[in-house]
Amino acid sequence: MVTLHDLRKRYPNGVEAVKGVSLDVPAGEVFGLVGPNGAGKSTLLKLIAGLLRPETGKVVIGGRDVTSQPAQAARVVGLMPDPLGVYTDISCQEYLEFFAMTLSIPASEKAGRIAETVALLELGSWLDAEVETLSAGWQRRLALGRVLLSRVPVLLLDEPAAGLDVKARAELLGVVRRLAGTGRTVVIASHILPELQELADRFGIIDQGHWAEVVPGQTFFRRADMQTGFGGAQWELRCDAPERAREALAAHGLSVPPQLPECPLRLAVSDAARAAEALAAVVQAGVAVHDFRRHETGLTELVLRCLRNGAEGHS
């Protein structure tokens, strides 16, 4: 649905925000765009939406090159920006009607589209309220509503849950999950990584305008890749005699680096069968095992590691 070919964008002040970025996002996928402040996330979303033009490269949506035709992009892409820029001195009903008008929705369809959006976002009880009286979470739902009115197949969400409390954040991300279930393609940039880990199908880490490698030769990854340690799954062992356990593992052909006594021993094995053999070797050595489990790398841990490795590589 969305294909980026070698996009580059340099601002008038000389900052090159996007440096040769390519990406394919199939229809129905939720793609998680991760990176620190200033990494190029918002610029990339604006390039996809047609709000910025790249110096080189192109954006193809649904097989159509929209790089030189931003009006074409507007017909298939909806961007929820950060900050939202919502109007606050009108009612929610007036807000949705105004954007229905700007989208040139036919009069015969306007009421149905608004009703559909209100139902999906559960805005019904707020239609007569002025926007400024809404909490931050409900204002974000309303801003998402103006994007959904167009029924575009591609949604770009820039920090959709920024500034929300835990409850409002969970509710809004639940809405995004329902949207993904309707077959829409969603690209979501977020700093709230635990929620993004559960929401997105695939991820990419952008740093200083280009994709960061999570392992040598691989930039994009799925939740399953994190769960399996990218083909080198790690297991954690807690026991009463770490040194004896380390010796037993070494005799079994597994080396464990020195660690603090209070930390679990961490070993990399190829599969669950090999892990079971390692556990058996430790038990046979007379070591009392308190806990043995596969270590699943979280998105936060992975991003921090990639950014740290990237900084060391550039130093």
Side-chain angles (χ1 to χ4, degrees):
M1 178 56 72
V2 178
T3 299
L4 314 180
H5 293 284
D6 195 29
L7 287 182
R8 293 181 180 273
K9 177 62 184 177
R10 184 184 298 274
Y11 287 106
N13 63 2
V15 173
E16 190 175 15
V18 174
K19 306 172 183 176
V21 167
S22 297
L23 173 65
D24 288 302
V25 185
E29 180 175 83
V30 179
F31 183 85
L33 182 59
V34 185
N37 291 330
K41 301 188 301 297
S42 294
T43 297
L44 188 59
L45 294 180
K46 290 175 182 177
L47 288 168
I48 299 171
L51 299 180
L52 293 175
R53 290 190 63 177
E55 274 67 47
T56 64
K58 63 181 180 179
V59 177
V60 178
I61 299 176
R64 179 182 302 171
D65 183 354
V66 300
T67 309
S68 58
Q69 303 177 66
Q72 296 290 331
R75 293 189 177 96
V76 290
V77 178
L79 170 65
M80 179 180 169
D82 182 48
L84 300 175
V86 295
Y87 301 118
T88 58
D89 56 352
I90 58 177
S91 72
C92 294
Q93 179 73 40
E94 291 169 333
Y95 181 94
L96 293 173
E97 288 182 352
F98 170 76
F99 279 100
M101 180 179 64
T102 64
L103 291 166
S104 300
I105 295 174
S108 60
E109 297 181 19
K110 184 176 73 171
R113 296 253 197 127
I114 291 177
E116 176 185 284
T117 300
V118 168
L120 178 63
L121 300 179
E122 300 176 345
L123 287 166
S125 60
W126 299 101
L127 287 179
D128 294 328
E130 286 202 351
V131 175
E132 66 182 355
T133 67
L134 269 61
S135 67
W138 285 104
Q139 285 193 13
R140 287 190 172 272
R141 287 198 191 206
L142 186 63
L144 180 57
R146 78 173 184 235
V147 177
L148 298 181
L149 283 173
S150 61
R151 291 180 176 170
V152 290
V154 178
L155 299 176
L156 310 176
L157 309 181
D158 194 358
E159 300 294 344
L164 302 186
D165 61 33
V166 173
K167 182 175 182 293
R169 195 165 68 220
E171 290 174 348
L172 183 62
L173 292 177
V175 170
V176 176
R177 288 188 187 94
R178 292 199 297 274
L179 290 173
T182 65
R184 287 181 171 93
T185 300
V186 182
V187 179
I188 176 170
S190 178
H191 285 110
I192 306 171
L193 301 187
E195 283 90 346
L196 186 61
Q197 178 174 334
E198 297 303 317
L199 178 64
D201 302 306
R202 195 163 54 107
F203 308 85
I205 304 170
I206 192 168
D207 183 28
Q208 301 182 51
H210 53 76
W211 297 121
E213 287 191 340
V214 289
V215 294
Q218 182 176 347
T219 50
F220 308 122
F221 56 99
R222 298 183 177 275
R223 194 178 305 112
D225 293 323
M226 292 187 286
Q227 293 171 341
T228 60
F230 295 87
Q234 291 194 336
W235 294 73
E236 291 182 345
L237 174 74
R238 295 180 186 273
C239 61
D240 66 344
E243 286 305 320
R244 249 193 309 147
R246 187 176 287 110
E247 292 171 1
L249 290 168
H252 203 67
L254 292 168
S255 61
V256 180
Q259 294 163 298
L260 295 175
E262 63 271 20
C263 293
L265 299 179
R266 188 170 292 179
L267 56 148
V269 293
S270 55
D271 53 39
R274 180 68 168 151
E277 293 174 4
L279 176 60
V282 172
V283 173
Q284 289 170 5
V287 176
V289 175
H290 307 312
D291 187 42
F292 184 66
R293 67 182 65 189
R294 185 169 65 186
H295 172 73
E296 295 184 0
T297 303
L299 185 58
T300 300
E301 177 186 347
L302 180 62
V303 170
L304 290 174
R305 187 174 70 207
C306 289
L307 296 179
R308 183 172 59 250
N309 292 343
E312 292 173 354
H314 290 297
S315 62

